[in-house]
Amino acid sequence: MKLVVAIIKPFKLDEVRQALTAIGVHGMTVTEVKGYGRQKGHTEMYRGAEYIVNFLPKLRLEIAVASDLVAKAVEVISTGARTGQIGDGKIFVTPIDHALRIRTGETDSDAL
């Protein structure tokens, strides 16, 4: 089992979710986050005053998947979230040692 964590632009969420559902991934956790990387923020105008936005709004997706689905999940997230512009995001994959579904007591792959 693996935990796939993706940081994406907010308007790409529906496209990524539909692509993941199509390959059999039915659960995810989505968190609104702010951050920056190479984009380093930008300036905006509000009521005639210019101000700097240092942290840009992003979404953090967390998806627990079986090891055999990891490559496909990373591929569909990458394809669905790509705009070709700076700030498209990142994907991280980490191992999951143990999982437990609280309601039923199912463990590991059965808990996903």
Side-chain angles (χ1 to χ4, degrees):
M1 296 177 303
K2 302 286 184 177
L3 179 65
V4 179
V5 177
I7 310 297
I8 65 169
K9 291 183 176 184
F11 65 90
K12 293 300 235 170
L13 177 62
D14 285 334
E15 191 173 337
V16 170
R17 187 187 59 79
Q18 288 172 0
L20 286 168
T21 301
I23 65 164
V25 177
H26 298 291
M28 77 170 62
T29 301
V30 179
T31 309
E32 293 180 0
V33 295
K34 292 181 184 250
Y36 72 92
R38 290 187 180 152
Q39 233 175 336
K40 295 183 181 70
H42 62 277
T43 59
E44 289 186 4
M45 294 291 288
Y46 180 70
R47 295 189 177 184
E50 186 174 304
Y51 65 98
I52 298 171
V53 178
N54 289 324
F55 293 95
L56 302 170
K58 303 286 183 182
L59 293 179
R60 176 186 169 116
L61 312 180
E62 295 175 282
I63 305 125
V65 297
S67 295
D68 59 334
L69 269 180
V70 172
K72 189 68 176 162
V74 168
E75 180 185 332
V76 299
I77 293 169
S78 176
T79 302
R82 182 175 293 125
T83 65
Q85 303 296 316
I86 192 167
D88 275 351
K90 297 267 192 306
I91 300 173
F92 306 99
V93 180
T94 59
I96 297 176
D97 293 329
H98 184 67
L100 172 78
R101 179 173 287 153
I102 295 171
R103 179 178 56 88
T104 62
E106 295 170 300
T107 59
D108 299 331
S109 292
D110 294 332
L112 298 181

